[in-house]
Amino acid sequence: MNISKEQLDDLNAVVTVDISKEDYTGKVDKILKDYRKNANIPGFRKGHVPMGLVKKQYGKAVLVDEVNKLLQDALHKYLTEEKLDVLGNPLPKEQENFDWDADDYSFEFELGLAPKFDVKLNSKKAITHYKIVASDEMIDNQVNTIQKQYGKLVAKDAAEKEDLVAGVFVNEEKEINNPTTVALEKIKGKRNLDKFLKAKIGDTLTLKTKGLFNDDHDLISALKITHDEAQDLDVEVTFTVNEINKQELADLDQELFDKLYGPGVISSVTELKERIKTDSELQFEQQSDQQLLNAITESLLENTQFDLPVEFLQKWIRTTGEQPLTEDQAKDEFEKSEKGLRYQLIEGKIISDNNLQVTFEELKDFAKDLIKGQMAQFGQMSPQDKELEDIAARILSNQDEVKRISEQLMSKKLLNFYKENAKLKTKEVSFDEFIKEVYK
């Protein structure tokens, strides 16, 4: 067997694999002998079928199968030993008048080669890394939400602006019949609010759905309808008042602090607000980090230029899918996937050049940290290491889980690498400012 490579250009090559009769004869003969031992052919005793008949019936199929096995093994070994970084898979070239009755065979494969390039992480323009801080207003709102959650309801005969009114929304035509509780602070417009404020228990109000709530999501919840159904919904509904309650806020005392965080962890309103600030900003950090990854990805794509074997890749897309594509379809598919392929190559280069590969020990430790975090949510603050080891072992025996956790860990390693090496500028913003700037 002989394998040679013709370099067409920096991104394309042709590999030729020559297979001689000596390469496959031994394996083909052995398989045919096994066939002969077990063949059931009418007129012959088992194991006594003439070899000529066996070759006639099975020889060509066995030959083709064994040559293809030799071919694939040889090609894979060659690409590995020569350290050829290929895109897609080798594509066999069409050969006219190929003759399987010959003794020796020659096969050609087209290769699309990964480009050579350098990654410059430090772009001319610094990338913004947002530090999202919890504003005093946000913290105060959270404190108020906690007080409401742990407070109590006091029944009333008449409603005021901050009260809760329980009842049933009905519209027979739209098949709406939903019991719910309405927070009057969410009602939009003085006319609608006045109807609730004047109502007594047992009264039925007639309301228009359009402009009933400040937020359309509250309308979806109140009527139990879909988002699409809520779009431009403008019908009359009735609302029968069953209860009117005042939300009495819980006192900000030690009893409440202990319910929230455990005995003695928080002992004052100041400490409560500091804890809310810390927890909120920890959650914000995840959003900030994801935005940073997105921004660096775009910067790398913009500033790292290289060519791709476009013609080869379009041909590969056209011929290797479940259904063959036309040239135009393959071109469209390539254009859709080109950006992702380019970043995949850039990311791979960064990982390789900076030894950021994930090791099994790192993967196991990362999985154990994830498990500890999940257990902490259910009050298990100090699990035994053996317990963590056993759970991690079960999780890592699942290949889908290994892939998912590996991707999470690699994302974290890349993020840390970018934070240390990319040209960044930190900008402190509130959460609302972050949303406005990033999602304009």
Side-chain angles (χ1 to χ4, degrees):
M1 186 183 301
N2 181 60
I3 303 180
S4 59
K5 176 169 70 77
E6 178 188 1
Q7 192 77 31
L8 303 180
D9 55 42
D10 290 342
L11 299 173
N12 295 275
V14 173
V15 168
T16 302
V17 182
D18 295 318
I19 296 179
S20 64
K21 186 175 182 179
E22 290 78 15
D23 295 322
Y24 61 81
T25 298
K27 291 184 179 180
V28 170
D29 288 347
K30 181 179 183 304
I31 291 172
L32 290 176
K33 285 178 183 178
D34 290 339
Y35 274 31
R36 186 186 180 213
K37 290 177 184 176
N38 299 296
N40 287 312
I41 296 179
F44 298 94
R45 285 184 298 144
K46 188 175 181 179
H48 290 78
V49 179
M51 180 56 79
L53 187 58
V54 173
K55 286 185 177 180
K56 183 177 180 181
Q57 188 160 350
Y58 301 109
K60 181 64 66 67
V62 172
L63 169 67
V64 172
D65 190 46
E66 286 306 307
V67 168
N68 275 321
K69 286 180 183 177
L70 277 173
L71 184 60
Q72 296 304 321
D73 289 346
L75 189 59
H76 176 73
K77 184 178 178 183
Y78 177 78
L79 295 178
T80 302
E81 290 178 348
E82 296 295 317
K83 297 179 180 178
L84 294 176
D85 192 1
V86 299
L87 301 179
N89 295 313
L91 288 177
K93 291 188 70 173
E94 292 184 11
Q95 294 174 272
E96 293 183 6
N97 303 318
F98 186 85
D99 184 11
W100 279 105
D101 291 324
D103 290 334
D104 301 329
Y105 310 106
S106 183
F107 302 90
E108 292 182 331
F109 292 86
E110 298 176 58
L111 302 182
L113 304 177
K116 306 293 182 185
F117 59 91
D118 294 318
V119 178
K120 295 179 180 178
L121 200 56
N122 284 318
S123 56
K124 292 180 180 178
K125 185 179 178 182
I127 297 170
T128 301
H129 183 202
Y130 291 95
K131 177 177 173 56
I132 308 173
V133 296
S135 65
D136 291 341
E137 181 183 2
M138 176 179 285
I139 294 169
D140 289 340
N141 286 339
Q142 183 63 28
V143 170
N144 185 254
T145 299
I146 290 170
Q147 287 182 277
K148 286 182 178 179
Q149 183 181 349
Y150 287 88
K152 61 181 179 180
L153 296 178
V154 178
K156 299 177 63 177
D157 294 325
E160 296 179 86
K161 288 183 180 180
E162 301 297 322
D163 289 344
L164 303 172
V165 179
V168 182
F169 278 109
V170 174
N171 178 290
E172 292 183 2
E173 182 184 351
K174 296 293 183 180
E175 296 183 347
I176 296 169
N177 191 319
N178 189 49
T180 188
T181 298
V182 177
L184 296 191
E185 62 187 6
K186 295 182 177 181
I187 294 296
K188 184 177 182 179
K190 186 176 183 303
R191 178 178 297 178
N192 289 326
L193 183 59
D194 283 346
K195 289 184 179 182
F196 282 94
L197 296 179
K198 293 174 183 177
K200 306 293 183 184
I201 293 173
D203 287 354
T204 297
L205 315 181
T206 300
L207 304 159
K208 282 276 193 179
T209 56
K210 188 175 180 64
L212 180 57
F213 289 94
N214 291 312
D215 189 330
D216 286 342
H217 290 93
D218 291 321
L219 180 67
I220 293 170
S221 175
L223 304 185
K224 206 171 184 179
I225 57 178
T226 67
H227 187 275
D228 289 341
E229 289 171 335
Q231 291 291 318
D232 301 319
L233 182 66
D234 187 7
V235 297
E236 276 191 354
V237 290
T238 60
F239 182 81
T240 302
V241 179
N242 293 332
E243 292 181 28
I244 300 172
N245 294 297
K246 178 181 180 181
Q247 178 80 62
E248 225 174 61
L249 301 182
D251 292 331
L252 294 172
D253 56 16
Q254 194 61 48
E255 182 182 355
L256 177 61
F257 303 151
D258 291 348
K259 282 181 181 177
L260 292 171
Y261 298 106
V265 176
I266 300 294
S267 58
S268 68
V269 174
T270 300
E271 289 181 9
L272 173 64
K273 290 186 175 182
E274 288 174 354
R275 178 62 180 263
I276 291 172
K277 179 179 175 66
T278 300
D279 290 348
S280 298
E281 291 179 355
L282 193 61
Q283 292 181 344
F284 294 155
E285 188 177 344
Q286 296 175 2
Q287 293 174 276
S288 174
D289 284 347
Q290 185 57 57
Q291 189 279 331
L292 178 61
L293 272 176
N294 295 342
I296 289 178
T297 298
E298 292 300 323
S299 175
L300 288 170
L301 286 167
E302 183 179 342
N303 294 295
T304 309
Q305 303 297 321
F306 52 80
D307 293 326
L308 290 170
V310 175
E311 187 175 334
F312 169 85
L313 290 170
Q314 289 181 359
K315 183 177 181 181
W316 179 70
I317 291 170
R318 180 164 55 87
T319 58
T320 58
E322 291 184 6
Q323 297 291 334
L325 303 178
T326 65
E327 290 188 6
D328 286 342
Q329 287 173 328
K331 183 179 179 182
D332 288 342
E333 287 299 314
F334 172 74
E335 289 174 354
K336 291 176 186 175
S337 60
E338 181 181 3
K339 189 174 181 179
L341 173 59
R342 285 183 176 276
Y343 183 68
Q344 189 178 356
L345 290 170
I346 294 168
E347 187 181 86
K349 175 78 171 170
I350 292 172
I351 293 169
S352 176
D353 288 353
N354 298 281
N355 296 315
L356 298 178
Q357 295 85 352
V358 171
T359 67
F360 180 75
E361 284 303 314
E362 288 176 324
L363 186 63
K364 186 172 72 171
D365 289 341
F366 187 67
K368 286 164 67 175
D369 286 340
L370 291 176
I371 295 163
K372 277 165 57 175
Q374 291 174 347
M375 293 176 77
Q377 292 177 6
F378 295 96
Q380 293 178 263
M381 307 306 294
S382 302
Q384 296 293 316
D385 193 59
K386 185 180 185 309
E387 184 180 10
L388 292 173
E389 286 277 350
D390 291 343
I391 297 173
R394 287 200 300 271
I395 290 173
L396 297 179
S397 66
N398 183 314
Q399 289 304 307
D400 290 336
E401 285 297 302
V402 170
K403 182 175 183 293
R404 181 182 67 83
I405 296 173
S406 295
E407 288 173 351
Q408 282 183 264
L409 178 53
M410 179 52 70
S411 180
K412 181 180 178 181
K413 293 183 78 167
L414 283 168
L415 179 64
N416 291 337
F417 177 78
Y418 294 149
K419 285 181 178 179
E420 292 173 5
N421 294 279
K423 186 177 181 181
L424 305 178
K425 62 177 180 181
T426 302
K427 184 174 183 180
E428 194 170 285
V429 292
S430 69
F431 182 72
D432 288 341
E433 289 169 339
F434 173 77
I435 295 298
K436 286 178 183 177
E437 287 201 24
V438 174
Y439 302 105
K440 294 174 183 174

